Amino acid sequence: MAEEKKAGSGWLNVAVDYGPLVVFLAVYRLSAPDDPGLGDIIAIVYGTGAFMVAAVIALAVSKFLLGRISPMLWFSTALIVGFGALTIWFQDEKFIQLKPTIIYAVFGTALIGGWLAGRALLKILLEAAFEGLSEEGWLKLSRNWGFFFLLLAGLNEVLVATMDFEGWLWAKLWVFLPLTFLFTFANIPMLMKHGLSIDDADEVLKDEPPTGG
């Protein structure tokens, strides 16, 4: 049974990370009026509410199907609920759009700070362990993810400034998801140089940090 859970954790991690975002987009599209205006704000509020509920459900799925909730997922979900509530209360989409920037900036700063201090915080934040990977490998992975998170923070701000709300939602799915997979794959050769077994390379993909929120 444990092996079955572990084998399925790859797609489950993606579902937990990006599932709430897909729900957000679907509810927004179903609620969006033909003409922008007050109706668009209502669609954003409905979508945000669905996003918050889906994020909490994803948290439960992670606990009961993956057997754990990483500190990064806890933090991401807390911000989704918090900034989602602000979006609904003030009926202003800027709050929910600011949330990813804060998440990425906090994670990026923490990981780079840990790397500079000689601590691989990514291992702690993910509650993951890649068999055979040396401490130097973990440090480099933390550093790389730290700079990648800061890149995502900047990219999110650019998308918010240059796209309408629906375009920003689609970009979260079709830009951030491929970038994350490409970045994760790009790190595998470096990790293998630092002790990661080729048989365990898929664990890197299964335990990648959350970027969909």
Side-chain angles (χ1 to χ4, degrees):
M1 181 65 70
E3 287 300 317
E4 291 177 5
K5 182 187 291 186
K6 188 175 182 180
S9 64
W11 70 266
L12 272 175
N13 271 331
V14 174
V16 165
D17 193 6
Y18 282 87
L21 183 63
V22 172
V23 170
F24 190 168
L25 180 57
V27 172
Y28 172 81
R29 284 299 304 139
L30 290 172
S31 307
D34 294 330
D35 297 319
L38 180 60
D40 193 53
I41 294 298
I42 293 174
I44 291 170
V45 167
Y46 286 164
T48 300
F51 186 35
M52 294 163 64
V53 173
V56 173
I57 292 174
L59 203 68
V61 169
S62 180
K63 174 63 177 178
F64 292 107
L65 295 186
L66 296 178
R68 63 185 174 85
I69 302 174
S70 72
M72 297 182 86
L73 186 57
W74 274 117
F75 181 67
S76 177
T77 304
L79 286 188
I80 288 172
V81 173
F83 279 83
L86 290 173
T87 296
I88 293 173
W89 180 261
F90 291 103
Q91 296 192 4
D92 187 345
E93 70 275 14
K94 295 303 181 184
F95 289 104
I96 203 66
Q97 290 181 304
L98 177 63
K99 182 267 309 169
T101 301
I102 293 176
I103 291 177
Y104 300 144
V106 169
F107 286 163
T109 302
L111 291 176
I112 292 173
W115 166 62
L116 291 174
R119 296 187 64 192
L121 293 184
L122 187 66
K123 185 176 182 179
I124 299 171
L125 292 174
L126 284 181
E127 293 185 339
F130 304 144
E131 187 173 352
L133 184 61
S134 67
E135 189 63 23
E136 183 181 359
W138 270 111
L139 279 171
K140 289 184 176 180
L141 187 62
S142 290
R143 175 201 62 192
N144 293 354
W145 270 102
F147 284 113
F148 183 65
F149 273 127
L150 293 182
L151 173 66
L152 292 183
L155 178 58
N156 186 65
E157 287 299 297
V158 170
L159 294 177
V160 168
T162 58
M163 306 181 79
D164 61 20
F165 187 78
E166 184 177 348
W168 171 78
L169 277 178
W170 279 110
K172 288 283 292 174
L173 189 63
W174 296 116
V175 175
F176 284 69
L177 180 59
L179 277 178
T180 300
F181 273 117
L182 286 173
F183 177 79
T184 304
F185 274 114
N187 275 281
I188 291 178
M190 179 275 293
L191 296 177
M192 293 179 68
K193 289 181 180 179
H194 290 281
L196 183 72
S197 168
I198 190 170
D199 295 330
D200 295 323
D202 61 332
E203 297 302 313
V204 179
L205 302 175
K206 293 176 183 178
D207 287 319
E208 66 181 25
T211 58

